Coordinates of all heavy atoms in Angstrom, one line a residue:
Chain I
M1 N -74.4 25.6 -36.9 CA -74.2 24.2 -36.7 C -73.0 23.7 -37.5 O -72.8 24.0 -38.7 CB -75.5 23.6 -37.3 CG -75.5 22.1 -37.4 SD -76.5 21.4 -38.7 CE -76.8 22.9 -39.7
L2 N -72.2 22.9 -36.8 CA -71.0 22.4 -37.4 C -70.9 20.9 -37.1 O -71.4 20.4 -36.1 CB -69.8 23.1 -36.7 CG -69.7 24.6 -36.7 CD1 -68.7 25.1 -35.7 CD2 -69.4 25.1 -38.1
D3 N -70.2 20.2 -38.0 CA -69.9 18.8 -37.7 C -68.4 18.7 -37.6 O -67.6 19.0 -38.6 CB -70.4 17.9 -38.9 CG -70.3 16.5 -38.6 OD1 -70.1 16.1 -37.4 OD2 -70.3 15.6 -39.5
K41 N -71.6 10.8 -32.5 CA -71.4 9.5 -33.0 C -70.7 8.8 -31.8 O -69.6 9.2 -31.4 CB -70.5 9.5 -34.2 CG -70.2 8.1 -34.8 CD -71.4 7.6 -35.5 CE -71.3 6.1 -35.7 NZ -72.4 5.5 -36.5
V46 N -67.1 5.9 -37.8 CA -68.4 6.4 -38.2 C -69.3 5.2 -38.9 O -70.5 5.3 -38.9 CB -68.3 7.6 -39.2 CG1 -67.9 7.2 -40.6 CG2 -69.6 8.4 -39.2
R47 N -68.6 4.2 -39.3 CA -69.4 3.1 -40.0 C -69.9 2.1 -39.1 O -70.6 1.1 -39.6 CB -68.4 2.4 -41.0 CG -67.5 3.3 -41.8 CD -68.4 4.0 -42.9 NE -68.9 3.0 -43.8 CZ -68.1 2.4 -44.8 NH1 -66.9 2.8 -44.9 NH2 -68.6 1.5 -45.5
D49 N -71.9 0.2 -35.7 CA -73.1 0.3 -34.8 C -72.7 0.9 -33.4 O -71.7 0.5 -32.9 CB -73.7 -1.1 -34.6 CG -74.7 -1.5 -35.7 OD1 -75.1 -0.6 -36.5 OD2 -75.2 -2.6 -35.7
P50 N -73.6 1.7 -32.8 CA -74.8 2.2 -33.4 C -74.6 3.2 -34.5 O -73.7 4.0 -34.4 CB -75.5 2.8 -32.2 CG -74.4 3.3 -31.3 CD -73.3 2.3 -31.5
L51 N -75.3 3.0 -35.6 CA -75.2 3.9 -36.7 C -75.6 5.3 -36.4 O -74.8 6.2 -36.8 CB -76.1 3.4 -37.9 CG -75.6 2.1 -38.6 CD1 -76.6 1.8 -39.7 CD2 -74.2 2.3 -39.2
L52 N -76.7 5.4 -35.8 CA -77.2 6.8 -35.7 C -76.5 7.5 -34.5 O -76.2 6.9 -33.5 CB -78.8 6.7 -35.4 CG -79.6 6.1 -36.6 CD1 -81.0 6.0 -36.2 CD2 -79.4 6.9 -37.9
R53 N -76.4 8.8 -34.7 CA -75.8 9.6 -33.6 C -76.9 9.7 -32.5 O -78.0 9.5 -32.7 CB -75.4 11.0 -34.1 CG -74.4 10.9 -35.3 CD -73.9 12.2 -35.6 NE -73.0 12.2 -36.8 CZ -72.0 13.0 -37.0 NH1 -71.8 14.0 -36.2 NH2 -71.3 12.9 -38.1
R54 N -76.4 10.1 -31.3 CA -77.3 10.3 -30.2 C -77.2 11.7 -29.7 O -76.2 12.3 -29.6 CB -76.8 9.4 -29.0 CG -76.8 7.9 -29.4 CD -78.2 7.3 -29.4 NE -78.3 5.9 -29.5 CZ -78.4 5.2 -30.6 NH1 -78.5 5.8 -31.8 NH2 -78.5 3.8 -30.5
L99 N -71.9 16.9 -33.9 CA -72.7 17.8 -34.8 C -73.5 18.7 -33.9 O -74.3 18.3 -33.0 CB -73.6 16.9 -35.7 CG -74.6 17.6 -36.6 CD1 -73.8 18.3 -37.7 CD2 -75.5 16.6 -37.2
R233 N -86.5 9.9 -30.2 CA -85.5 9.2 -31.0 C -85.2 10.0 -32.3 O -86.2 10.4 -32.9 CB -85.9 7.8 -31.4 CG -86.0 6.9 -30.2 CD -86.0 5.4 -30.6 NE -86.0 4.7 -29.4 CZ -85.0 4.2 -28.7 NH1 -83.8 4.5 -29.3 NH2 -85.1 3.6 -27.6
M234 N -84.0 10.2 -32.6 CA -83.6 11.1 -33.7 C -82.9 10.3 -34.8 O -82.1 9.4 -34.5 CB -82.8 12.2 -33.3 CG -83.5 13.2 -32.4 SD -82.6 14.7 -32.1 CE -83.8 15.5 -31.0
G235 N -83.2 10.7 -36.0 CA -82.5 10.2 -37.2 C -81.3 11.1 -37.5 O -80.2 10.8 -37.3
C236 N -81.7 12.3 -37.9 CA -80.7 13.2 -38.4 C -80.4 14.5 -37.6 O -79.3 15.0 -37.7 CB -81.2 13.7 -39.8 SG -82.7 14.7 -39.7
L238 N -81.4 17.3 -38.2 CA -81.3 18.4 -39.1 C -82.7 18.8 -39.6 O -82.8 19.7 -40.5 CB -80.5 18.0 -40.4 CG -79.1 17.5 -40.0 CD1 -78.4 16.9 -41.3 CD2 -78.2 18.7 -39.5
G239 N -83.7 18.2 -39.1 CA -85.1 18.5 -39.6 C -85.4 17.8 -40.9 O -86.4 18.1 -41.5
A240 N -84.6 16.9 -41.3 CA -84.7 16.3 -42.6 C -85.5 15.0 -42.6 O -86.2 14.7 -43.6 CB -83.4 16.1 -43.3
C241 N -85.4 14.2 -41.6 CA -85.9 12.8 -41.6 C -87.4 12.8 -41.1 O -88.1 11.8 -41.3 CB -85.0 11.8 -40.9 SG -85.1 11.9 -39.1
L242 N -87.7 13.7 -40.3 CA -89.1 13.8 -39.6 C -89.3 12.6 -38.7 O -90.4 12.1 -38.5 CB -90.2 13.8 -40.7 CG -90.0 15.0 -41.7 CD1 -91.0 14.9 -42.8 CD2 -90.0 16.3 -41.0
G243 N -88.2 12.1 -38.2 CA -88.3 10.9 -37.3 C -88.6 11.3 -35.8 O -89.1 10.4 -35.1
V245 N -90.6 13.5 -34.2 CA -91.7 14.4 -34.0 C -92.4 14.1 -32.7 O -92.4 13.0 -32.1 CB -92.7 14.4 -35.1 CG1 -92.1 14.8 -36.4 CG2 -93.4 13.0 -35.2
V246 N -93.1 15.2 -32.2 CA -94.0 15.1 -31.1 C -95.4 15.6 -31.6 O -95.4 16.6 -32.4 CB -93.5 15.9 -29.9 CG1 -93.3 17.4 -30.3 CG2 -94.4 15.8 -28.7
R247 N -96.4 15.0 -31.1 CA -97.8 15.5 -31.5 C -98.2 16.7 -30.8 O -98.1 16.8 -29.6 CB -98.8 14.4 -31.2 CG -100.2 14.7 -31.8 CD -101.2 13.6 -31.4 NE -101.5 12.7 -32.5 CZ -102.1 11.6 -32.3 NH1 -102.5 11.2 -31.1 NH2 -102.4 10.8 -33.4
E254 N -106.0 21.8 -34.4 CA -105.7 20.7 -35.4 C -104.4 20.1 -35.0 O -103.4 20.7 -34.6 CB -105.5 21.4 -36.8 CG -106.7 21.4 -37.6 CD -106.8 20.3 -38.5 OE1 -106.1 19.3 -38.4 OE2 -107.6 20.3 -39.5
E255 N -104.3 18.8 -35.1 CA -103.1 18.1 -34.7 C -102.0 18.3 -35.8 O -102.3 18.4 -37.0 CB -103.3 16.6 -34.5 CG -103.4 15.8 -35.7 CD -103.4 14.3 -35.4 OE1 -103.8 13.9 -34.2 OE2 -103.0 13.5 -36.2
Q256 N -100.8 18.4 -35.3 CA -99.7 18.5 -36.3 C -98.5 17.9 -35.6 O -98.4 17.9 -34.3 CB -99.4 19.9 -36.7 CG -99.1 20.8 -35.6 CD -98.6 22.2 -36.1 OE1 -98.1 22.3 -37.2 NE2 -98.7 23.2 -35.2
Y257 N -97.5 17.5 -36.3 CA -96.3 16.9 -35.7 C -95.1 17.8 -35.9 O -94.8 18.2 -37.0 CB -96.0 15.5 -36.4 CG -97.0 14.5 -36.1 CD1 -98.0 14.1 -37.1 CD2 -97.1 14.0 -34.8 CE1 -99.0 13.2 -36.8 CE2 -98.1 13.1 -34.5 CZ -99.0 12.7 -35.5 OH -100.0 11.7 -35.2
T276 N -100.0 11.8 -26.0 CA -99.3 11.0 -26.9 C -97.8 11.2 -26.7 O -97.1 12.1 -27.2 CB -99.6 11.4 -28.4 OG1 -101.0 11.4 -28.5 CG2 -99.1 10.3 -29.4
A277 N -97.2 10.3 -25.9 CA -95.8 10.3 -25.7 C -95.0 10.0 -26.9 O -95.3 9.1 -27.6 CB -95.4 9.4 -24.5
P278 N -93.9 10.8 -27.2 CA -93.2 10.5 -28.4 C -92.3 9.3 -28.3 O -91.7 8.9 -29.3 CB -92.4 11.8 -28.7 CG -92.3 12.5 -27.3 CD -93.5 12.0 -26.5
L279 N -92.1 8.7 -27.2 CA -91.1 7.6 -27.0 C -91.9 6.4 -26.6 O -92.8 6.4 -25.8 CB -90.1 7.9 -25.9 CG -88.8 8.5 -26.4 CD1 -87.9 8.8 -25.2 CD2 -88.1 7.6 -27.4
Chain A
G33 N -86.4 11.3 -48.7 CA -86.7 11.1 -47.3 C -85.5 11.1 -46.3 O -85.7 11.1 -45.1
F35 N -82.8 13.2 -47.0 CA -82.0 14.4 -47.3 C -82.9 15.6 -47.2 O -82.6 16.7 -47.8 CB -81.3 14.3 -48.6 CG -80.0 15.0 -48.8 CD1 -78.9 14.6 -48.1 CD2 -79.9 16.1 -49.7 CE1 -77.7 15.3 -48.2 CE2 -78.7 16.7 -49.8 CZ -77.6 16.3 -49.1
G36 N -84.1 15.4 -46.6 CA -85.1 16.5 -46.5 C -85.4 17.1 -47.8 O -85.6 16.5 -48.8
E40 N -81.3 21.5 -45.9 CA -80.9 21.2 -44.5 C -79.4 20.8 -44.5 O -78.8 20.9 -43.4 CB -81.8 20.0 -44.0 CG -83.2 20.3 -43.8 CD -84.1 20.0 -45.1 OE1 -83.5 20.0 -46.2 OE2 -85.3 19.8 -44.9
F41 N -78.9 20.3 -45.6 CA -77.5 19.9 -45.6 C -76.5 20.9 -46.2 O -75.3 20.6 -46.2 CB -77.4 18.5 -46.4 CG -78.0 17.4 -45.6 CD1 -79.4 17.2 -45.5 CD2 -77.2 16.4 -45.0 CE1 -80.0 16.2 -44.9 CE2 -77.8 15.3 -44.3 CZ -79.2 15.2 -44.3
N43 N -75.2 23.5 -45.1 CA -74.1 24.0 -44.3 C -73.0 22.9 -44.0 O -71.9 23.2 -43.5 CB -74.6 24.4 -42.9 CG -75.4 25.7 -43.0 OD1 -75.1 26.5 -43.8 ND2 -76.4 25.8 -42.1
L44 N -73.4 21.7 -44.3 CA -72.5 20.6 -43.9 C -71.8 19.9 -45.0 O -70.9 19.1 -44.8 CB -73.4 19.5 -43.2 CG -74.0 20.0 -41.9 CD1 -75.2 19.1 -41.4 CD2 -73.0 20.1 -40.8
K56 N -87.7 14.7 -50.4 CA -88.7 14.0 -49.6 C -90.0 13.9 -50.4 O -90.4 14.8 -51.1 CB -89.0 14.8 -48.3 CG -90.1 14.2 -47.5 CD -89.7 12.9 -46.8 CE -90.9 12.3 -46.1 NZ -90.7 10.8 -45.8
K64 N -99.8 15.0 -42.7 CA -99.3 15.1 -41.3 C -98.4 14.0 -40.9 O -97.5 14.2 -40.1 CB -100.6 15.1 -40.4 CG -101.3 16.4 -40.2 CD -102.2 16.4 -39.1 CE -103.4 15.6 -39.4 NZ -104.7 16.3 -39.5
G65 N -98.6 12.8 -41.4 CA -97.7 11.7 -41.1 C -98.2 10.9 -39.9 O -99.3 11.1 -39.4
N66 N -97.4 9.9 -39.6 CA -97.8 8.9 -38.5 C -97.5 9.5 -37.1 O -96.5 10.2 -37.0 CB -97.1 7.6 -38.7 CG -97.6 6.9 -40.0 OD1 -98.7 7.0 -40.3 ND2 -96.7 6.1 -40.6
P67 N -98.2 9.0 -36.1 CA -97.8 9.4 -34.7 C -96.5 8.7 -34.3 O -96.1 7.6 -34.8 CB -99.0 8.8 -33.9 CG -99.6 7.8 -34.7 CD -99.4 8.2 -36.1
P68 N -95.7 9.4 -33.4 CA -94.5 8.8 -33.0 C -94.7 7.7 -31.9 O -95.8 7.6 -31.4 CB -93.8 10.0 -32.3 CG -94.9 10.9 -31.8 CD -96.0 10.7 -32.8
P69 N -93.7 6.9 -31.6 CA -92.3 6.9 -32.2 C -92.3 6.4 -33.6 O -93.0 5.5 -34.0 CB -91.6 5.9 -31.3 CG -92.5 5.2 -30.4 CD -93.8 6.0 -30.5
R70 N -91.5 7.1 -34.4 CA -91.4 6.8 -35.9 C -90.1 6.1 -36.3 O -90.1 5.7 -37.5 CB -91.5 8.1 -36.6 CG -92.9 8.8 -36.6 CD -92.8 10.1 -37.4 NE -94.0 10.8 -37.5 CZ -94.2 11.9 -38.2 NH1 -93.1 12.5 -38.8 NH2 -95.4 12.5 -38.3
V71 N -89.1 6.2 -35.5 CA -87.8 5.6 -35.9 C -87.3 4.7 -34.8 O -87.6 4.9 -33.6 CB -86.8 6.6 -36.3 CG1 -87.1 7.4 -37.6 CG2 -86.5 7.6 -35.1
Y72 N -86.6 3.7 -35.2 CA -85.9 2.8 -34.2 C -84.7 2.2 -34.9 O -84.7 1.8 -36.0 CB -86.9 1.7 -33.7 CG -86.3 0.9 -32.6 CD1 -86.1 1.4 -31.4 CD2 -85.8 -0.4 -32.9 CE1 -85.5 0.7 -30.4 CE2 -85.2 -1.1 -31.9 CZ -85.0 -0.6 -30.6 OH -84.4 -1.2 -29.6
E73 N -83.6 2.1 -34.1 CA -82.4 1.6 -34.7 C -82.3 0.1 -34.5 O -82.7 -0.5 -33.5 CB -81.2 2.3 -34.1 CG -79.9 1.9 -34.8 CD -78.7 2.8 -34.4 OE1 -79.0 3.9 -33.9 OE2 -77.6 2.4 -34.7
A75 N -79.8 -3.7 -35.9 CA -78.4 -4.0 -36.3 C -78.1 -3.5 -37.7 O -78.7 -3.9 -38.6 CB -78.3 -5.6 -36.2
S76 N -77.1 -2.6 -37.7 CA -76.7 -2.1 -39.0 C -77.8 -1.5 -39.8 O -77.7 -1.4 -41.1 CB -75.9 -3.1 -39.9 OG -74.7 -3.5 -39.2
G77 N -78.8 -1.0 -39.2 CA -79.9 -0.4 -39.9 C -80.9 0.3 -39.0 O -80.6 0.5 -37.9
M78 N -82.0 0.8 -39.6 CA -83.0 1.5 -38.9 C -84.4 1.2 -39.5 O -84.5 0.9 -40.7 CB -82.7 3.0 -38.8 CG -82.9 3.7 -40.1 SD -82.6 5.5 -40.0 CE -84.2 6.0 -39.4
I82 N -92.4 7.1 -41.1 CA -92.8 8.5 -41.1 C -94.2 8.8 -41.6 O -94.9 9.6 -41.0 CB -91.8 9.3 -42.0 CG1 -90.3 9.0 -41.7 CG2 -92.0 10.8 -41.9 CD1 -89.8 9.3 -40.3
Q85 N -95.2 12.5 -44.1 CA -95.3 13.9 -43.7 C -94.5 14.7 -44.7 O -93.4 14.5 -45.0 CB -94.7 14.0 -42.3 CG -94.8 15.5 -41.8 CD -94.4 15.7 -40.3 OE1 -94.4 14.7 -39.6 NE2 -94.3 16.9 -39.9
R217 N -94.4 -3.9 -26.3 CA -95.1 -3.0 -27.2 C -94.2 -2.9 -28.4 O -93.0 -2.9 -28.3 CB -95.2 -1.7 -26.5 CG -96.4 -1.0 -26.6 CD -96.5 0.3 -25.7 NE -95.3 1.1 -26.0 CZ -95.1 2.3 -25.4 NH1 -96.0 2.8 -24.5 NH2 -94.1 3.1 -25.6
R219 N -91.9 -1.1 -31.1 CA -91.0 0.0 -31.0 C -91.6 1.2 -31.8 O -91.2 2.3 -31.5 CB -89.6 -0.3 -31.5 CG -88.9 -1.3 -30.6 CD -88.4 -0.6 -29.4 NE -87.5 -1.4 -28.6 CZ -86.9 -1.0 -27.5 NH1 -87.1 0.2 -27.0 NH2 -86.1 -1.9 -26.8
R221 N -95.0 3.1 -33.3 CA -96.5 3.1 -33.0 C -97.2 2.6 -34.3 O -98.3 2.1 -34.1 CB -96.9 4.6 -32.7 CG -98.3 4.6 -32.0 CD -98.7 6.0 -31.6 NE -97.8 6.5 -30.6 CZ -98.2 6.7 -29.3 NH1 -99.4 6.4 -28.9 NH2 -97.3 7.1 -28.4
P230 N -77.1 -0.2 -44.0 CA -76.1 -1.2 -44.5 C -76.7 -2.7 -44.4 O -76.3 -3.5 -45.2 CB -74.9 -1.1 -43.5 CG -74.9 0.4 -43.1 CD -76.4 0.7 -43.1
A258 N -73.0 3.4 -48.3 CA -72.4 4.3 -47.3 C -71.0 4.6 -47.6 O -70.3 5.3 -46.8 CB -72.5 3.7 -45.9
S259 N -70.4 4.0 -48.7 CA -69.0 4.2 -49.0 C -68.8 4.2 -50.5 O -69.7 3.7 -51.2 CB -68.2 3.2 -48.3 OG -68.4 1.9 -48.9
D262 N -69.2 0.6 -51.7 CA -70.6 0.3 -51.8 C -71.2 0.8 -53.1 O -71.8 0.0 -53.9 CB -71.5 0.9 -50.7 CG -71.1 0.3 -49.3 OD1 -70.5 -0.8 -49.2 OD2 -71.5 1.0 -48.3
F281 N -77.7 10.4 -42.4 CA -78.1 10.7 -41.0 C -76.9 10.7 -40.1 O -76.7 11.6 -39.2 CB -79.1 9.8 -40.5 CG -80.4 9.8 -41.2 CD1 -81.3 8.8 -41.1 CD2 -80.8 10.9 -42.0 CE1 -82.6 8.8 -41.8 CE2 -82.0 10.9 -42.7 CZ -82.9 9.9 -42.6
Y282 N -76.0 9.7 -40.3 CA -74.9 9.7 -39.3 C -73.6 10.3 -39.9 O -72.7 10.5 -39.1 CB -74.7 8.2 -38.8 CG -74.4 7.2 -39.8 CD1 -73.2 6.9 -40.2 CD2 -75.5 6.4 -40.4 CE1 -72.9 5.9 -41.2 CE2 -75.3 5.4 -41.3 CZ -74.0 5.2 -41.7 OH -73.8 4.2 -42.6
Q283 N -73.6 10.6 -41.2 CA -72.4 11.2 -41.8 C -73.0 12.2 -42.8 O -73.1 11.8 -44.0 CB -71.5 10.2 -42.4 CG -70.1 10.7 -42.7 CD -69.2 9.6 -43.2 OE1 -69.6 8.6 -43.6 NE2 -67.9 9.9 -43.1
P284 N -73.3 13.4 -42.4 CA -74.1 14.3 -43.3 C -73.4 14.6 -44.6 O -74.0 14.9 -45.6 CB -74.2 15.6 -42.5 CG -74.0 15.2 -41.1 CD -73.1 14.0 -41.1

Side-chain angles (χ1 to χ4, degrees):
Chain I
M1 175 207 14
L2 303 165
D3 187 20
K41 181 74 198 183
V46 79
R47 314 287 295 283
D49 270 354
L51 285 181
L52 299 177
R53 301 190 187 204
R54 299 288 191 261
L99 176 68
R233 293 199 176 268
M234 290 189 181
C236 65
L238 303 170
C241 74
L242 307 175
V245 299
V246 58
R247 187 185 253 165
E254 267 266 13
E255 79 171 25
Q256 61 171 337
Y257 293 107
T276 312
L279 264 181
Chain A
F35 209 67
E40 293 91 335
F41 287 74
N43 291 329
L44 295 165
K56 175 72 190 161
K64 280 195 285 250
N66 292 331
R70 288 180 176 182
V71 292
Y72 187 71
E73 187 163 342
S76 296
M78 67 178 282
I82 309 299
Q85 178 169 349
R217 222 174 54 176
R219 290 283 189 179
R221 199 178 293 251
S259 69
D262 295 340
F281 296 162
Y282 56 90
Q283 194 173 23

